[in-house]
Amino acid sequence: MTSQSNWIPVSGSGDLAAASARAVVLPDHDVVIWRTKTGAVHAWENRCPHRGMRMSFGQVRDEKLVCRYHGWGFDEEGQCQNIPASPNAAAPPTACIKTWSCTEKDNLIWVDVSDESAGEGSAMSGDSDGVSSLMFCKSVYTDGDLDKVLALVGSARFLPLGYDGDGRDLDWSMTDLPDLVGDAIQILVSGAGSDQIVITGHQARDGRCGLHIMTPSTGDHDLDRQRRLHYSKWAKRLRWSLSNPDAAQDGFSVFS
Ligand code: FES
């Protein structure tokens, strides 16, 4: 059995294109996340069982992740199916990669790298009450422990899209968001303009963490595109501010 608390948001869904792979570094695990051409996502140990090449350097071909070094191809269960140097021989059953549970929810990719998850498909349940139809905007990476960084983010100030005042008539509040699995906060802006931003993240290695910035979708395609751009820019400013704490005051304040 796996528990909800094992799930880690490692990427925005929109940051992993069809037929692509990329590395995710967690404190105790090197992970490759990859997406098939038809859209399924998988999370594996980022190491080829042949000579140890990182699978994140590989290519997705015929719904298999193919190692860049000698071309071994692994199916969606992590089992090797092709060895180019021995085209007529079946791959040995031991030629397989450790797999973990992986799913998509709220436009994020979540993995469960607990021992219980290895080799099985654990399910993730639960709705994000109060933040329906979340839209992923951008991920940023910064130094620091995730809990501390999330607390710092709460002091960030941003203006709602299209708001043309100086922000003095707006109220900001930050709350934990326990209904979103994993550590998450929401920032609510109210007053003459109103908006909501949701931030979750994952701890990486060497004291770094990733933050995933989201906001509710309006259902209007053009408006959502503008909102995504708006909060993507905000996310970049946030990363800069977190990396330059002496200048953070200016970076965050809407009154400056
Ligand atoms: S190292 Fe991956 S196929 Fe040889």
Side-chain angles (χ1 to χ4, degrees):
M1 279 288 289
T2 63
S3 79
Q4 292 290 86
S5 59
N6 291 331
W7 288 99
I8 303 167
V10 296
S11 170
S13 292
D15 275 356
L16 186 68
S20 72
R22 77 183 170 79
V24 171
V25 178
L26 297 177
D28 298 314
H29 300 283
D30 284 316
V31 180
V32 55
I33 53 173
W34 69 281
R35 191 187 291 283
T36 65
K37 197 173 174 186
T38 51
V41 288
H42 299 285
W44 296 353
E45 184 174 33
N46 194 9
R47 184 180 184 283
C48 178
H50 182 215
R51 294 282 170 83
M53 170 64 84
R54 286 184 186 162
M55 293 303 296
S56 52
F57 293 144
Q59 288 185 330
V60 178
R61 270 189 241 137
D62 298 330
E63 303 301 60
K64 296 183 190 66
L65 185 56
V66 177
C67 179
R68 184 178 185 132
Y69 200 173
H70 306 99
W72 289 22
F74 298 85
D75 66 18
E76 293 183 64
E77 275 70 53
Q79 177 63 49
C80 181
Q81 297 292 352
N82 313 91
I83 298 180
S86 308
N88 298 319
T94 51
C96 58
I97 300 183
K98 186 173 188 174
T99 66
W100 289 295
S101 299
C102 182
T103 193
E104 290 183 277
K105 178 173 178 281
D106 293 325
N107 283 307
L108 293 172
I109 296 172
W110 302 75
V111 300
D112 175 357
V113 291
S114 62
D115 289 344
E116 298 89 343
S117 156
E120 71 168 59
S122 68
M124 185 182 195
S125 60
D127 295 321
S128 306
D129 292 343
V131 283
S132 57
S133 304
L134 278 178
M135 178 172 70
F136 171 73
C137 299
K138 189 168 182 65
S139 295
V140 292
Y141 291 82
T142 185
D143 291 335
D145 181 77
L146 177 61
D147 290 342
K148 290 180 183 158
V149 169
L150 281 177
L152 270 179
V153 166
S155 63
R157 295 286 185 263
F158 63 93
L159 293 170
L161 178 68
Y163 180 80
D164 59 4
D166 64 4
R168 291 176 193 276
D169 55 347
L170 298 177
D171 291 325
W172 281 267
S173 64
M174 183 187 83
T175 56
D176 289 339
L177 198 58
D179 292 320
L180 192 75
V181 174
D183 293 322
I185 58 170
Q186 64 175 335
I187 299 172
L188 298 171
V189 187
S190 57
S194 65
D195 219 334
Q196 181 180 15
I197 189 164
V198 173
I199 305 173
T200 186
H202 70 274
Q203 192 65 49
R205 208 171 295 159
D206 300 326
R208 289 178 66 73
C209 66
L211 299 176
H212 312 300
I213 317 297
M214 294 171 289
T215 191
S217 167
T218 64
D220 178 318
H221 181 266
D222 288 341
L223 182 56
D224 280 352
R225 190 173 57 81
Q226 289 179 44
R227 285 170 56 73
R228 243 193 327 267
L229 276 175
H230 178 78
Y231 289 114
S232 293
K233 285 180 187 165
W234 181 83
K236 286 186 201 166
R237 196 180 72 167
L238 173 67
R239 176 181 55 197
W240 182 86
S241 299
L242 290 169
S243 303
N244 298 275
D246 293 341
Q249 201 76 6
D250 289 341
F252 286 158
S253 174
V254 298
F255 304 126
S256 58

